[in-house]
Amino acid sequence: MRPFFYSAILLPAALLVASAAQAQEAQDAPSYEKEFTYGINLNTNAGLIGGVAVRSTRRLNDDWARFWLLEGVEVKSRKEQRIQNSIGGVYVQGKTNYLFALRPTVGVQRTLFRKAAESGVEVDAMFGAGPSIGLLLPYYIYYDYTPKPDPQSNPNPREDIRAEQYDPVKHYEQNKIYDRAPIFSGIGNVKPNVGAHLRGALNFEYGRYRDAVAGIEAGFLVEAYTKRLVTMNVTGVPENRLNNNLFNSVYVTLYIGSRK
């Protein structure tokens, strides 16, 4: 009688515990195989918004995933100084090129803290590397070549304002710099450069629904190019003091996306 009594009590309890364990395991296990996100990048080598990024992630098992990432950002010199002239025009003194970087990255992702299926925050560690393509785009300004009025020969000279790549030797009269020209004025003279980068980050992912995701990726990046990238040119200052081929930054990417 007693063995039957214990069996009647313990067997349902064991089944209940097993069911709870299976439910918890199902909740803890990732509920998706692929994830695609896109977002905006903020970093210490750019302004308010540094650029954009897209990322695709595929899970390998419960803890590991692999990803590819494509990021496009502007890289600014920390020595840049914005100048505003008397008529309200704004330009960067000594800036001769923009620098844009395209960074395709491949890497791995390790889950450190897993959230429940439809709530909480998942924390992942990410490490990746890949090539860097640096694009030097000429920095154009509007420079005023209008001659001074001559009461006798040319009392009303015709206005002559030209868009040219900024050269501090040629454009030495700051009061004649009218304004910065549109960013793509020199698009036909882009100069590509090749390098490589490494990145490490923590990914804080929040997904309220199984097929939607949002989060923050915060990390650091080191990037090197095969030659010095000239973005600044100031008269009397050596080029190697203003320009580098090695860059590092701390970045944050805010993203949203989907998964399945």
Side-chain angles (χ1 to χ4, degrees):
M1 186 69 181
R2 184 172 295 179
F4 175 78
F5 175 77
Y6 286 149
S7 298
I9 297 296
L10 295 179
L11 184 58
L15 293 174
L16 182 62
V17 170
S19 298
Q22 291 175 355
Q24 182 65 37
E25 183 179 356
Q27 185 182 53
D28 288 344
S31 58
Y32 63 95
E33 294 183 359
K34 298 179 181 179
E35 181 178 276
F36 183 82
T37 62
Y38 52 93
I40 58 173
N41 174 281
L42 302 86
N43 65 79
T44 53
N45 285 339
L48 179 62
I49 297 179
V52 295
V54 294
R55 174 163 54 93
S56 177
T57 305
R58 177 185 289 271
R59 298 216 67 95
L60 301 176
N61 53 44
D62 289 354
D63 296 320
W64 289 93
R66 66 171 181 264
F67 68 88
W68 64 259
L69 166 71
L70 179 61
E71 182 179 76
V73 301
E74 182 181 3
V75 181
K76 294 184 177 181
S77 170
R78 297 175 185 178
K79 299 178 177 66
E80 290 187 8
Q81 288 186 324
R82 289 165 59 89
I83 303 295
Q84 184 170 358
N85 60 25
S86 58
I87 61 173
V90 177
Y91 66 98
V92 177
Q93 187 175 22
K95 188 179 181 78
T96 189
N97 286 299
Y98 296 97
L99 173 58
F100 296 97
L102 296 177
R103 302 175 182 136
T105 306
V106 293
V108 293
Q109 177 175 306
R110 174 72 160 86
T111 300
L112 303 179
F113 178 80
R114 184 173 294 113
K115 64 180 176 62
E118 297 186 7
S119 63
V121 177
E122 179 174 299
V123 181
D124 303 302
M126 304 172 61
F127 178 79
S132 292
I133 303 171
L135 302 174
L136 287 174
L137 175 67
Y139 181 83
Y140 272 54
I141 59 167
Y142 289 118
Y143 196 75
D144 190 356
Y145 286 95
T146 306
K148 293 181 179 180
D150 187 327
Q152 296 181 353
S153 62
N154 191 10
N156 297 304
R158 184 177 180 180
E159 187 177 66
D160 184 8
I161 298 176
R162 308 174 196 173
E164 298 179 331
Q165 184 176 6
Y166 186 24
D167 181 347
V169 175
K170 181 179 180 180
H171 307 119
Y172 61 92
E173 296 185 70
Q174 293 189 12
N175 62 328
K176 291 189 176 183
I177 299 177
Y178 190 77
D179 202 354
R180 181 193 69 183
I183 190 170
F184 294 113
S185 297
I187 191 67
N189 297 310
V190 172
K191 297 178 181 178
N193 297 267
V194 179
H197 68 272
L198 296 170
R199 72 171 73 232
L202 288 177
N203 183 42
F204 302 89
E205 180 185 292
Y206 173 76
R208 185 172 180 81
Y209 304 102
R210 291 181 182 273
D211 59 350
V213 62
I216 300 174
E217 178 186 331
F220 69 91
L221 182 137
V222 178
E223 181 173 50
Y225 290 89
T226 55
K227 63 180 181 179
R228 195 180 306 278
L229 303 183
V230 178
T231 60
M232 300 289 292
N233 184 1
V234 177
T235 304
V237 180
E239 185 179 281
N240 60 2
R241 290 183 56 186
L242 296 171
N243 303 285
N244 301 298
N245 68 329
L246 179 65
F247 303 88
N248 59 77
S249 64
V250 175
Y251 72 91
V252 172
T253 298
L254 310 177
Y255 65 84
I256 58 175
S258 61
R259 57 194 177 192
K260 59 183 181 179

